[in-house]
Amino acid sequence: YAQLEEYTVTSTSTGAEETQKRLLRAPDPVKDQSYFLAALTQSQLNRVLFPIGHLEKTKVRELAQEFDLPNKNRPDSQGLCFLGKVRFDDFLAAYLGEEPGDIIDADTSEIIGRHKGIWFHTVGQRKGIGRVLFPQVTNKGPWYVVAKDTHKRLIIASNQYDEEKFDSTRRSFFVEDIQWITTTIPIPDVFTGTGAEISMKIRHGPNIVRGTLSVGEEGENHIGKVVLEKKDGGLAPGQFVVFYNDLECLGSAVISERHWLEFLAQDQDVVEEVV
């Protein structure tokens, strides 16, 4: 579910006109797929069609009934539909195996549990973390995963995730590999010191958040920094951030490892004490 729109741009150097594509969010905010399509280039978008992208899912259901399609009553897929009945943890274990390590308290440096592999856990996770914590600390929660040290196989957790200490790690982060869908940067203000106000998605779903994006100098326009208006539930390196101007999807970036590295540097004494 997504939409395309054509528009004409004029080259500032040659004066020549060319047709480009805009990627637009679908009218159904739950089914919108623009988050996954945000890294497509103009050449790729010129070869793509979204024949039902302008419709909401309820209308598609009505048309399926009208045309008596064989899948007219098939339920919507949820989560990773290609897994079928396979549990996600079992899927990860089959492909990545297990590499146990310690879970440490971000505030006290105490070892509070053992995990089977850092890939089984995500930053911001609360549900399920209690299963790998020692019994004597589970009642001191709720516990959240706040960072992961991939080199030392450490998961860093805290029961103070809503405290001021974590405000910066939940509101600001560096991004890399910034890619714009159009051939020109759509928001020149990103090069100013304060950056440009922009809408974005930090994960797939209907939620749009607001913040500012600042991009490096010319020659470094593939890296930048995002500051959100409100705290996010869990920002993880490798996670895509997709930028929007109203309905138009402008492009994407990837949360940089610097997000964890800065947090780990602040708590280096905690990490060193454990290892």
Side-chain angles (χ1 to χ4, degrees):
Y1 283 81
Q3 301 181 87
L4 287 176
E5 180 180 86
E6 285 192 353
Y7 71 107
T8 302
V9 294
T10 304
S11 170
T12 56
S13 56
T14 66
E17 292 187 346
E18 64 172 314
T19 300
Q20 293 195 12
K21 299 278 189 176
R22 285 192 177 105
L23 178 65
L24 306 179
R25 288 190 287 128
D28 191 324
V30 175
K31 296 299 180 181
D32 172 52
Q33 300 292 303
S34 62
Y35 179 85
F36 299 110
L37 302 169
L40 294 182
T41 64
Q42 282 294 313
S43 61
Q44 291 168 326
L45 287 175
N46 273 305
R47 303 175 66 183
V48 172
L49 293 174
F50 301 117
I52 60 172
H54 62 291
L55 302 174
E56 294 193 3
K57 187 59 178 283
T58 52
K59 181 60 178 179
V60 175
R61 288 284 188 192
E62 291 175 9
L63 291 173
Q65 293 287 340
E66 180 181 339
F67 298 128
D68 195 27
L69 299 181
N71 59 348
K72 61 185 178 182
N73 295 319
R74 181 178 298 172
D76 287 359
S77 60
Q78 301 291 332
L80 298 177
C81 53
F82 62 85
L83 291 182
K85 296 182 179 180
V86 178
R87 292 178 61 251
F88 186 55
D89 281 1
D90 294 337
F91 172 78
L92 290 178
Y95 282 90
L96 300 177
E98 295 183 356
E99 285 190 10
D102 290 328
I103 303 173
I104 64 172
D105 186 331
D107 301 292
T108 67
S109 77
E110 292 180 35
I111 298 175
I112 58 175
R114 290 280 294 175
H115 65 82
K116 294 182 178 180
I118 60 173
W119 42 81
F120 293 111
H121 304 279
T122 59
V123 174
Q125 176 186 349
R126 173 183 174 183
K127 184 179 180 180
I129 189 67
R131 295 196 300 267
V132 290
L133 296 178
F134 297 147
Q136 61 268 30
V137 300
T138 54
N139 63 349
K140 298 178 181 179
W143 291 91
Y144 293 85
V145 175
V146 298
K148 298 191 286 188
D149 188 327
T150 56
H151 300 292
K152 299 181 175 68
R153 298 207 306 267
L154 292 175
I155 287 180
I156 303 168
S158 177
N159 56 0
Q160 301 180 44
Y161 196 42
D162 290 321
E163 301 298 322
E164 185 177 348
K165 173 181 179 179
F166 295 102
D167 279 2
S168 62
T169 57
R170 296 180 64 182
R171 288 192 59 190
S172 63
F173 52 93
F174 291 95
V175 292
E176 57 192 31
D177 195 24
I178 298 175
Q179 304 283 341
W180 302 111
I181 290 176
T182 56
T183 54
T184 57
I185 295 176
I187 40 175
D189 287 350
V190 294
F191 292 106
T192 65
T194 56
E197 292 189 1
I198 195 168
S199 299
M200 64 196 92
K201 284 187 180 184
I202 301 175
R203 55 188 59 83
H204 171 59
N207 294 333
I208 301 282
V209 298
R210 295 283 298 173
T212 59
L213 170 65
S214 305
V215 175
E217 301 293 335
E218 187 173 352
E220 295 184 342
N221 56 15
H222 64 289
I223 59 174
K225 184 176 183 180
V226 171
V227 179
L228 302 175
E229 288 184 355
K230 298 180 180 180
K231 292 188 294 186
D232 185 74
L235 301 167
Q239 193 171 317
F240 265 74
V241 182
V242 175
F243 306 111
Y244 295 89
N245 177 21
D246 194 19
L247 290 179
E248 183 180 0
C249 178
L250 302 176
S252 64
V254 179
I255 297 180
S256 169
E257 288 283 347
R258 289 177 65 182
H259 184 61
W260 272 345
L261 294 177
E262 287 201 346
F263 175 85
L264 294 173
Q266 295 169 7
D267 290 272
Q268 192 61 36
D269 55 331
V270 172
V271 176
E272 289 178 350
E273 186 172 335
V274 174
V275 298

